[in-house]
PDB file of all heavy atoms in Angstrom:
ATOM      1  N   MET A   1      -2.166   9.305 -58.524  1.00 62.00           N
ATOM      2  CA  MET A   1      -1.422   8.284 -57.847  1.00 62.00           C
ATOM      3  C   MET A   1      -0.292   8.892 -57.017  1.00 62.00           C
ATOM      4  O   MET A   1      -0.010   8.420 -55.930  1.00 62.00           O
ATOM      5  CB  MET A   1      -0.907   7.287 -58.891  1.00 62.00           C
ATOM      6  CG  MET A   1      -0.261   6.092 -58.287  1.00 62.00           C
ATOM      7  SD  MET A   1      -1.499   5.128 -57.437  1.00 62.00           S
ATOM      8  CE  MET A   1      -0.776   3.579 -57.457  1.00 62.00           C
ATOM      9  N   LYS A   2       0.369   9.932 -57.601  1.00 65.00           N
ATOM     10  CA  LYS A   2       1.444  10.592 -56.871  1.00 65.00           C
ATOM     11  C   LYS A   2       0.910  11.233 -55.593  1.00 65.00           C
ATOM     12  O   LYS A   2       1.563  11.207 -54.557  1.00 65.00           O
ATOM     13  CB  LYS A   2       2.125  11.653 -57.733  1.00 65.00           C
ATOM     14  CG  LYS A   2       3.146  11.149 -58.667  1.00 65.00           C
ATOM     15  CD  LYS A   2       3.794  12.333 -59.353  1.00 65.00           C
ATOM     16  CE  LYS A   2       4.988  11.915 -60.153  1.00 65.00           C
ATOM     17  NZ  LYS A   2       5.653  13.041 -60.773  1.00 65.00           N
ATOM     18  N   LYS A   3      -0.267  11.842 -55.698  1.00 64.00           N
ATOM     19  CA  LYS A   3      -0.863  12.493 -54.526  1.00 64.00           C
ATOM     20  C   LYS A   3      -1.168  11.465 -53.442  1.00 64.00           C
ATOM     21  O   LYS A   3      -0.947  11.724 -52.255  1.00 64.00           O
ATOM     22  CB  LYS A   3      -2.126  13.245 -54.918  1.00 64.00           C
ATOM     23  CG  LYS A   3      -1.870  14.504 -55.689  1.00 64.00           C
ATOM     24  CD  LYS A   3      -3.150  15.226 -55.975  1.00 64.00           C
ATOM     25  CE  LYS A   3      -2.887  16.485 -56.807  1.00 64.00           C
ATOM     26  NZ  LYS A   3      -4.087  17.212 -57.089  1.00 64.00           N
ATOM     27  N   LEU A   4      -1.663  10.312 -53.826  1.00 54.00           N
ATOM     28  CA  LEU A   4      -1.969   9.253 -52.861  1.00 54.00           C
ATOM     29  C   LEU A   4      -0.691   8.775 -52.181  1.00 54.00           C
ATOM     30  O   LEU A   4      -0.637   8.607 -50.961  1.00 54.00           O
ATOM     31  CB  LEU A   4      -2.692   8.092 -53.549  1.00 54.00           C
ATOM     32  CG  LEU A   4      -3.056   6.920 -52.643  1.00 54.00           C
ATOM     33  CD1 LEU A   4      -4.004   7.365 -51.542  1.00 54.00           C
ATOM     34  CD2 LEU A   4      -3.671   5.797 -53.457  1.00 54.00           C
ATOM     35  N   PHE A   5       0.364   8.570 -52.985  1.00 55.00           N
ATOM     36  CA  PHE A   5       1.640   8.142 -52.439  1.00 55.00           C
ATOM     37  C   PHE A   5       2.191   9.193 -51.475  1.00 55.00           C
ATOM     38  O   PHE A   5       2.658   8.869 -50.384  1.00 55.00           O
ATOM     39  CB  PHE A   5       2.640   7.857 -53.577  1.00 55.00           C
ATOM     40  CG  PHE A   5       3.990   7.467 -53.062  1.00 55.00           C
ATOM     41  CD1 PHE A   5       4.203   6.210 -52.519  1.00 55.00           C
ATOM     42  CD2 PHE A   5       5.043   8.370 -53.106  1.00 55.00           C
ATOM     43  CE1 PHE A   5       5.440   5.861 -52.035  1.00 55.00           C
ATOM     44  CE2 PHE A   5       6.289   8.024 -52.620  1.00 55.00           C
ATOM     45  CZ  PHE A   5       6.491   6.747 -52.079  1.00 55.00           C
ATOM     46  N   LEU A   6       2.140  10.456 -51.868  1.00 54.00           N
ATOM     47  CA  LEU A   6       2.621  11.544 -51.021  1.00 54.00           C
ATOM     48  C   LEU A   6       1.801  11.632 -49.737  1.00 54.00           C
ATOM     49  O   LEU A   6       2.345  11.808 -48.643  1.00 54.00           O
ATOM     50  CB  LEU A   6       2.565  12.869 -51.789  1.00 54.00           C
ATOM     51  CG  LEU A   6       3.124  14.095 -51.074  1.00 54.00           C
ATOM     52  CD1 LEU A   6       4.592  13.894 -50.734  1.00 54.00           C
ATOM     53  CD2 LEU A   6       2.945  15.331 -51.921  1.00 54.00           C
ATOM     54  N   PHE A   7       0.487  11.476 -49.845  1.00 55.00           N
ATOM     55  CA  PHE A   7      -0.401  11.503 -48.680  1.00 55.00           C
ATOM     56  C   PHE A   7      -0.049  10.368 -47.705  1.00 55.00           C
ATOM     57  O   PHE A   7       0.042  10.574 -46.495  1.00 55.00           O
ATOM     58  CB  PHE A   7      -1.854  11.406 -49.142  1.00 55.00           C
ATOM     59  CG  PHE A   7      -2.849  11.443 -48.030  1.00 55.00           C
ATOM     60  CD1 PHE A   7      -3.111  12.624 -47.346  1.00 55.00           C
ATOM     61  CD2 PHE A   7      -3.517  10.295 -47.651  1.00 55.00           C
ATOM     62  CE1 PHE A   7      -4.028  12.663 -46.320  1.00 55.00           C
ATOM     63  CE2 PHE A   7      -4.436  10.321 -46.619  1.00 55.00           C
ATOM     64  CZ  PHE A   7      -4.695  11.507 -45.949  1.00 55.00           C
ATOM     65  N   LEU A   8       0.157   9.163 -48.223  1.00 52.00           N
ATOM     66  CA  LEU A   8       0.530   8.020 -47.382  1.00 52.00           C
ATOM     67  C   LEU A   8       1.894   8.228 -46.726  1.00 52.00           C
ATOM     68  O   LEU A   8       2.089   7.916 -45.555  1.00 52.00           O
ATOM     69  CB  LEU A   8       0.512   6.723 -48.186  1.00 52.00           C
ATOM     70  CG  LEU A   8      -0.863   6.218 -48.605  1.00 52.00           C
ATOM     71  CD1 LEU A   8      -0.735   5.010 -49.524  1.00 52.00           C
ATOM     72  CD2 LEU A   8      -1.685   5.854 -47.388  1.00 52.00           C
ATOM     73  N   LEU A   9       2.831   8.744 -47.495  1.00 49.00           N
ATOM     74  CA  LEU A   9       4.171   8.992 -46.975  1.00 49.00           C
ATOM     75  C   LEU A   9       4.134  10.019 -45.848  1.00 49.00           C
ATOM     76  O   LEU A   9       4.737   9.823 -44.796  1.00 49.00           O
ATOM     77  CB  LEU A   9       5.093   9.469 -48.103  1.00 49.00           C
ATOM     78  CG  LEU A   9       6.558   9.669 -47.708  1.00 49.00           C
ATOM     79  CD1 LEU A   9       7.167   8.359 -47.255  1.00 49.00           C
ATOM     80  CD2 LEU A   9       7.337  10.241 -48.872  1.00 49.00           C
ATOM     81  N   LEU A  10       3.389  11.091 -46.031  1.00 51.00           N
ATOM     82  CA  LEU A  10       3.252  12.100 -44.975  1.00 51.00           C
ATOM     83  C   LEU A  10       2.527  11.519 -43.757  1.00 51.00           C
ATOM     84  O   LEU A  10       2.840  11.857 -42.624  1.00 51.00           O
ATOM     85  CB  LEU A  10       2.511  13.331 -45.499  1.00 51.00           C
ATOM     86  CG  LEU A  10       3.299  14.223 -46.456  1.00 51.00           C
ATOM     87  CD1 LEU A  10       2.401  15.331 -47.016  1.00 51.00           C
ATOM     88  CD2 LEU A  10       4.503  14.816 -45.763  1.00 51.00           C
ATOM     89  N   GLY A  11       1.572  10.635 -44.006  1.00 58.00           N
ATOM     90  CA  GLY A  11       0.855   9.973 -42.916  1.00 58.00           C
ATOM     91  C   GLY A  11       1.770   9.113 -42.072  1.00 58.00           C
ATOM     92  O   GLY A  11       1.537   8.913 -40.872  1.00 58.00           O
ATOM     93  N   LEU A  12       2.829   8.610 -42.642  1.00 55.00           N
ATOM     94  CA  LEU A  12       3.801   7.814 -41.887  1.00 55.00           C
ATOM     95  C   LEU A  12       4.855   8.685 -41.215  1.00 55.00           C
ATOM     96  O   LEU A  12       5.311   8.384 -40.121  1.00 55.00           O
ATOM     97  CB  LEU A  12       4.485   6.804 -42.811  1.00 55.00           C
ATOM     98  CG  LEU A  12       3.596   5.685 -43.359  1.00 55.00           C
ATOM     99  CD1 LEU A  12       4.358   4.867 -44.391  1.00 55.00           C
ATOM    100  CD2 LEU A  12       3.099   4.802 -42.231  1.00 55.00           C
ATOM    101  N   ILE A  13       5.240   9.742 -41.827  1.00 62.00           N
ATOM    102  CA  ILE A  13       6.320  10.589 -41.313  1.00 62.00           C
ATOM    103  C   ILE A  13       5.845  11.504 -40.190  1.00 62.00           C
ATOM    104  O   ILE A  13       6.494  11.603 -39.155  1.00 62.00           O
ATOM    105  CB  ILE A  13       6.954  11.427 -42.453  1.00 62.00           C
ATOM    106  CG1 ILE A  13       7.674  10.489 -43.429  1.00 62.00           C
ATOM    107  CG2 ILE A  13       7.916  12.467 -41.896  1.00 62.00           C
ATOM    108  CD1 ILE A  13       8.192  11.187 -44.676  1.00 62.00           C
ATOM    109  N   ILE A  14       4.719  12.168 -40.372  1.00 60.00           N
ATOM    110  CA  ILE A  14       4.261  13.171 -39.403  1.00 60.00           C
ATOM    111  C   ILE A  14       4.043  12.576 -38.013  1.00 60.00           C
ATOM    112  O   ILE A  14       4.531  13.141 -37.031  1.00 60.00           O
ATOM    113  CB  ILE A  14       3.015  13.915 -39.928  1.00 60.00           C
ATOM    114  CG1 ILE A  14       3.419  14.796 -41.112  1.00 60.00           C
ATOM    115  CG2 ILE A  14       2.365  14.752 -38.826  1.00 60.00           C
ATOM    116  CD1 ILE A  14       2.263  15.470 -41.812  1.00 60.00           C
ATOM    117  N   PRO A  15       3.348  11.441 -37.842  1.00 58.00           N
ATOM    118  CA  PRO A  15       3.183  10.907 -36.480  1.00 58.00           C
ATOM    119  C   PRO A  15       4.512  10.582 -35.800  1.00 58.00           C
ATOM    120  O   PRO A  15       4.650  10.701 -34.585  1.00 58.00           O
ATOM    121  CB  PRO A  15       2.353   9.636 -36.682  1.00 58.00           C
ATOM    122  CG  PRO A  15       1.631   9.850 -37.959  1.00 58.00           C
ATOM    123  CD  PRO A  15       2.561  10.677 -38.802  1.00 58.00           C
ATOM    124  N   GLY A  16       5.490  10.184 -36.586  1.00 57.00           N
ATOM    125  CA  GLY A  16       6.801   9.880 -36.014  1.00 57.00           C
ATOM    126  C   GLY A  16       7.538  11.117 -35.534  1.00 57.00           C
ATOM    127  O   GLY A  16       8.442  11.038 -34.709  1.00 57.00           O
ATOM    128  N   CYS A  17       7.172  12.277 -36.044  1.00 56.00           N
ATOM    129  CA  CYS A  17       7.821  13.521 -35.650  1.00 56.00           C
ATOM    130  C   CYS A  17       7.188  14.148 -34.411  1.00 56.00           C
ATOM    131  O   CYS A  17       7.773  15.028 -33.804  1.00 56.00           O
ATOM    132  CB  CYS A  17       7.778  14.529 -36.796  1.00 56.00           C
ATOM    133  SG  CYS A  17       8.725  14.003 -38.237  1.00 56.00           S
ATOM    134  N   ILE A  18       6.010  13.714 -34.078  1.00 59.00           N
ATOM    135  CA  ILE A  18       5.320  14.285 -32.917  1.00 59.00           C
ATOM    136  C   ILE A  18       5.875  13.640 -31.661  1.00 59.00           C
ATOM    137  O   ILE A  18       5.890  12.413 -31.529  1.00 59.00           O
ATOM    138  CB  ILE A  18       3.790  14.060 -33.014  1.00 59.00           C
ATOM    139  CG1 ILE A  18       3.233  14.777 -34.243  1.00 59.00           C
ATOM    140  CG2 ILE A  18       3.101  14.521 -31.730  1.00 59.00           C
ATOM    141  CD1 ILE A  18       1.774  14.456 -34.526  1.00 59.00           C
ATOM    142  N   LYS A  19       6.352  14.458 -30.759  1.00 54.00           N
ATOM    143  CA  LYS A  19       6.924  13.943 -29.513  1.00 54.00           C
ATOM    144  C   LYS A  19       5.799  13.471 -28.603  1.00 54.00           C
ATOM    145  O   LYS A  19       4.873  14.198 -28.284  1.00 54.00           O
ATOM    146  CB  LYS A  19       7.737  15.027 -28.812  1.00 54.00           C
ATOM    147  CG  LYS A  19       8.429  14.501 -27.582  1.00 54.00           C
ATOM    148  CD  LYS A  19       9.440  15.471 -27.060  1.00 54.00           C
ATOM    149  CE  LYS A  19       9.999  14.900 -25.783  1.00 54.00           C
ATOM    150  NZ  LYS A  19      11.373  15.003 -25.671  1.00 54.00           N
ATOM    151  N   LYS A  20       5.903  12.220 -28.207  1.00 50.00           N
ATOM    152  CA  LYS A  20       4.902  11.633 -27.339  1.00 50.00           C
ATOM    153  C   LYS A  20       5.352  11.766 -25.891  1.00 50.00           C
ATOM    154  O   LYS A  20       6.534  11.720 -25.580  1.00 50.00           O
ATOM    155  CB  LYS A  20       4.707  10.160 -27.683  1.00 50.00           C
ATOM    156  CG  LYS A  20       4.149   9.961 -29.059  1.00 50.00           C
ATOM    157  CD  LYS A  20       4.043   8.507 -29.400  1.00 50.00           C
ATOM    158  CE  LYS A  20       3.542   8.370 -30.828  1.00 50.00           C
ATOM    159  NZ  LYS A  20       3.938   7.147 -31.443  1.00 50.00           N
ATOM    160  N   LYS A  21       4.358  11.912 -25.018  1.00 52.00           N
ATOM    161  CA  LYS A  21       4.649  12.004 -23.591  1.00 52.00           C
ATOM    162  C   LYS A  21       5.075  10.626 -23.103  1.00 52.00           C
ATOM    163  O   LYS A  21       4.355   9.645 -23.249  1.00 52.00           O
ATOM    164  CB  LYS A  21       3.416  12.473 -22.822  1.00 52.00           C
ATOM    165  CG  LYS A  21       3.655  12.627 -21.345  1.00 52.00           C
ATOM    166  CD  LYS A  21       2.403  13.091 -20.634  1.00 52.00           C
ATOM    167  CE  LYS A  21       2.646  13.148 -19.154  1.00 52.00           C
ATOM    168  NZ  LYS A  21       1.445  13.470 -18.419  1.00 52.00           N
TER     169      LYS A  21
END
Side-chain angles (χ1 to χ4, degrees):
M1 187 67 156
K2 278 185 171 182
K3 287 183 182 181
L4 180 61
F5 178 74
L6 184 60
F7 181 73
L8 290 174
L9 184 62
L10 287 174
L12 293 173
I13 293 173
I14 291 174
C17 295
I18 298 172
K19 185 168 176 136
K20 295 177 183 154
K21 182 180 176 185

